[in-house]
Structures are given as structure tokens and as C-alpha cells.
Amino acid sequence: MRSLKVTALCGAFLMAAALPAMAAQDGRTALRITVTASGQEPQTYVLRCDPDGGDHPNPQVACDRLRAVDGRLSALRRSSSACPWISEPYEVAVVGRWQGRNITLHSTFSSPCRAKAAGDGVFAF
């Protein structure tokens, strides 16, 4: 009987230790960002927040900006920088979960500069 209690207790500790890893894998705060510049192959990045990470070039800035707008991609601030009037289509697709909520964005911008201004550091590559 004692070995059954010890086994159960060990199992409980292992489950408790695994919970943070399981929560990180459930996609609650993970975004997949795919950008396609005109004439180039798509590039995909993963952004995770809380803790900030993934292979996004600057996850801390991107997560801070998303936290400021509660994950609402359409509410990201527009940069005040001026973009030249060139036609160089730049597609952005963001799919994932923000704090348990599904979010998506599919947009085509006239240039990478305009995409960077609209994305406010979230899809600035």
C-alpha cells in the first residue's frame, strides 16, 4: 500500500512540474506570422508572449505592443514614418491565439514599409 501512495505522490509531482510546459504548448499565447515580399519565398516566424520568445526578431517589443492593444491586431499604432510611394506588394498573415482567444490577420500592403508601419513592430522584418 505504501508503494502505491509513493507512486501516486510522485505522479502528482510530475504532473505539477509538467503543467507550465503543457500550457506553453497549448498555443494560448502563440502566433504564427508569415510575411511574403514581392517575388520572394514566404518567411514564417513564431511569436510567444508571457514569457516572450519564439524566433521573432524582437519578441519583447512585439509582445509589449500586443499587450498594449490586448492582442487586437487592428488596433496597433501606426508609425508616423513616411513611406515612399512604391508598389512592392507585401503580404502578412497572422494566425494564432492571444490569451486564449483566436486572432487572425490577412493583409496585403503596397510595400514592406507600409506593412511595418501598420504592424508597429509586430510584423516588422
Side-chain angles (χ1 to χ4, degrees), residues 7 12 54 63 73 75 82 85 95 107:
T7 302
C63 289
L73 295 169
W85 287 98
V95 178
S107 293

Side-chain angles (χ1 to χ4, degrees), residues 2-102:
R2 179 182 167 126
S3 68
L4 183 60
K5 288 181 182 176
V6 170
T7 302
L9 188 57
C10 288
F13 282 124
L14 288 173
M15 283 300 292
L19 285 176
M22 289 167 51
Q25 291 175 355
D26 73 2
R28 287 185 24 180
T29 58
L31 302 176
R32 181 169 307 280
I33 302 167
T34 302
V35 295
T36 308
S38 180
Q40 296 183 5
E41 291 293 317
Q43 296 179 355
T44 300
Y45 301 90
V46 173
L47 174 65
R48 291 187 182 86
C49 301
D50 301 320
D52 302 349
D55 59 2
H56 187 282
N58 198 338
Q60 184 176 3
V61 168
C63 289
D64 285 347
R65 295 199 172 137
L66 283 168
R67 281 189 281 270
V69 296
D70 191 29
R72 292 184 330 270
L73 295 169
S74 62
L76 289 168
R77 283 182 306 138
R78 307 286 183 202
S79 172
S80 61
S81 65
C83 293
W85 287 98
I86 59 170
S87 180
E88 198 177 315
Y90 191 86
E91 295 179 34
V92 175
V94 181
V95 178
R97 294 183 63 76
W98 177 261
Q99 298 179 350
R101 188 172 81 235
N102 289 334

